[in-house]
Amino acid sequence: MKRNHENSQEKRSSKRGLRLSIVAASAVVVAGGVLLPATGAMAAGMPESQR
């Protein structure tokens, strides 16, 4: 029985690249979801209390 290690290695590396890109995209989405509200809150400033 002949085994083909080269093909399995190529498939594995392409899946690894896809998985890495998905993780990177997820990190960007999460960072954007955290940074945008924080930036908006800082830009608006704190309302001054009236006495």
Side-chain angles (χ1 to χ4, degrees):
M1 179 178 220
K2 184 177 179 182
R3 296 190 180 198
N4 196 351
H5 292 287
E6 293 175 17
N7 286 343
S8 64
Q9 195 69 351
E10 288 175 12
K11 288 179 185 177
R12 193 173 296 143
S13 66
S14 68
K15 285 183 182 180
R16 186 175 298 145
L18 178 64
R19 199 173 304 141
L20 180 63
S21 63
I22 290 172
V23 168
S26 299
V28 168
V29 169
V30 169
V34 170
L35 289 177
L36 285 177
T39 304
M42 286 191 304
M46 292 291 292
E48 294 188 28
S49 61
Q50 297 177 357
R51 291 184 186 208

